[in-house]
Amino acid sequence: MRPKDAPHAPTDTRTALVGLSRGELAAELASLGEKAFRTKQVWHWLYHRGAKTFSEMTDLGKELRAKLDERYIVGRPTVAREQTSTDRTRKWLMAFGDGQKAETVFIPEDDRGAVCISSQVGCTLTCRFCNTGTQRLVRNLTAAEILGQFMIARDSYGEWPTPTDERRMLSNIVMMGMGEPLYNFDNVAKALKIVMADDGIALGKRRITLSTSGVVPEIRRCGAELGVNLAISLHAPDDDTRTAIMPINKKYPLKELIAACRDYPGLQNSRRITFEYVMLKGINDSMSHARALTKLVAGIPAKFNLIPFNPWPGSLYECSDAETVSDFSETLYKAGYTATIRTPRGRDILAACGQLRTDSERLSAKEMRERETEERKLAQAAWDEKEAALKA
Ligand code: SAH
Ligand code: SF4
């Protein structure tokens, strides 16, 4: 017989409670004949106390705990590997029920830090500079798997029960891991709503940032339904350059993307859109690119975050020189924009931006060669055109 509260096997068919909305949890408990107040109790154990087993839920009564254990599991991902960088960045390889895997990273500052969460196994998009982009999309992560990543990070730092704001090491969430969160919006939204509920994990919307490559229709939904901070992977000020490095730009070109940014609700000086900009030597890093950027976003409460390109095995680009990055930032500053330069974190364990990737389902060697050739052609053409325009 399976011991009580034993870690569940992948073949376990019991339903996971983590990841259910409050309404769904209430319906499950009602189906066991339990009264409404039980929902509040179980929710509290799951998301305030961080209980991993039903036997910890001491105020539920033995009988109910046994009943729960028969039909349900609490439901956390399994940690397949945990690595800590020399700079204290920590990365987990999460394994889900069906054996699929995704990575989660914690980026600590002195007394706080951000958990970088994945939304998909792989990615449908193929941004040329991104390691995840070399992986096929295997599947969307469920709300439980998205939420479970944060809960594992909290387990690892012993942050249950939910600490008050001031004491939280895991103070922020950034949806900047593997995958495009807005191509899995329903599950991401469900997970984040649970994270934001103030009688549980209780992380406010201002502590959550969602980064997107620019899925325009969902940006509007994200603003209306979640209201979290928005980061846009902009990476180029003109359509030619952007399309060459981010194929999604063909579907949602800059004009539409910038219009969606302008309309994002709640923007003001204290709540700006972050435009992320990966610094690629000879591709998007000239001072005319910087000036064009300031024109592009004029009128939007915005800040820039310049990301030095992080190399990964097989990557094709080089990072811009330090001096170029600094000049680029200076040009943006002079035009009135904050333009921080992101310090790469956890590079030694491949945990920095754009380095995440699991071993499943790589693109074939032929597909990679095709991509490389196409990429070189597109990047070169965009660059030649820019240079010609500059000389003219
Ligand atoms: N899919 C989402 C979120 C994940 S990526 C998005 O694209 O926004 C988080 C950030 O890292 C994005 O701005 C992404 O463009 C950037 N990035 C990807 N590969 C990178 C690399 N090799 N070096 C530096 N930044 C990279
Ligand atoms: Fe996907 Fe984001 Fe990487 Fe592009 S940068 S391939 S959208 S994870």
Side-chain angles (χ1 to χ4, degrees), residues 85-213:
S85 153
T86 49
D87 70 14
R88 298 185 300 130
T89 298
R90 188 168 293 176
K91 181 169 89 166
W92 297 267
L93 179 65
M94 305 283 179
F96 305 113
D98 63 353
Q100 291 300 338
K101 297 189 179 76
E103 295 190 305
T104 309
V105 176
F106 177 61
I107 308 137
E109 307 294 338
D110 285 345
D111 57 355
R112 56 198 287 276
V115 184
C116 177
I117 290 180
S118 293
S119 54
Q120 299 180 310
V121 179
C123 190
T124 40
L125 299 173
T126 52
C127 304
R128 313 295 190 202
F129 42 79
C130 174
N131 205 7
T132 311
T134 65
Q135 226 184 306
R136 270 181 223 289
L137 175 75
V138 180
R139 65 171 175 83
N140 281 336
L141 293 181
T142 63
E145 290 163 344
I146 294 165
L147 181 61
Q149 295 173 61
F150 183 74
M151 296 177 78
I152 291 277
R154 262 202 175 173
D155 292 346
S156 176
Y157 283 82
E159 290 214 322
W160 303 107
T162 293
T164 57
D165 253 10
E166 305 75 58
R167 284 176 35 230
R168 284 179 194 185
M169 187 62 191
L170 276 58
S171 58
N172 291 68
I173 286 181
V174 291
M175 293 301 306
M176 293 187 185
M178 298 169 63
E180 169 48 61
L182 294 189
Y183 275 145
N184 185 18
F185 183 74
D186 289 343
N187 291 341
V188 167
K190 191 174 177 191
L192 291 182
K193 281 178 190 165
I194 295 173
V195 161
M196 290 192 278
D198 56 13
D199 55 350
I201 292 171
L203 217 67
K205 62 181 182 182
R206 277 156 202 267
R207 294 189 173 273
I208 300 173
T209 301
L210 184 145
S211 172
T212 177
S213 57

Side-chain angles (χ1 to χ4, degrees), residues 39 45 71 89 94 96 120 263 270-271 283 332 391:
T39 308
W45 279 109
R71 298 170 195 217
T89 298
M94 305 283 179
F96 305 113
Q120 299 180 310
D263 292 347
S270 59
R271 197 166 138 75
I283 303 288
L332 297 174
K391 280 184 198 144

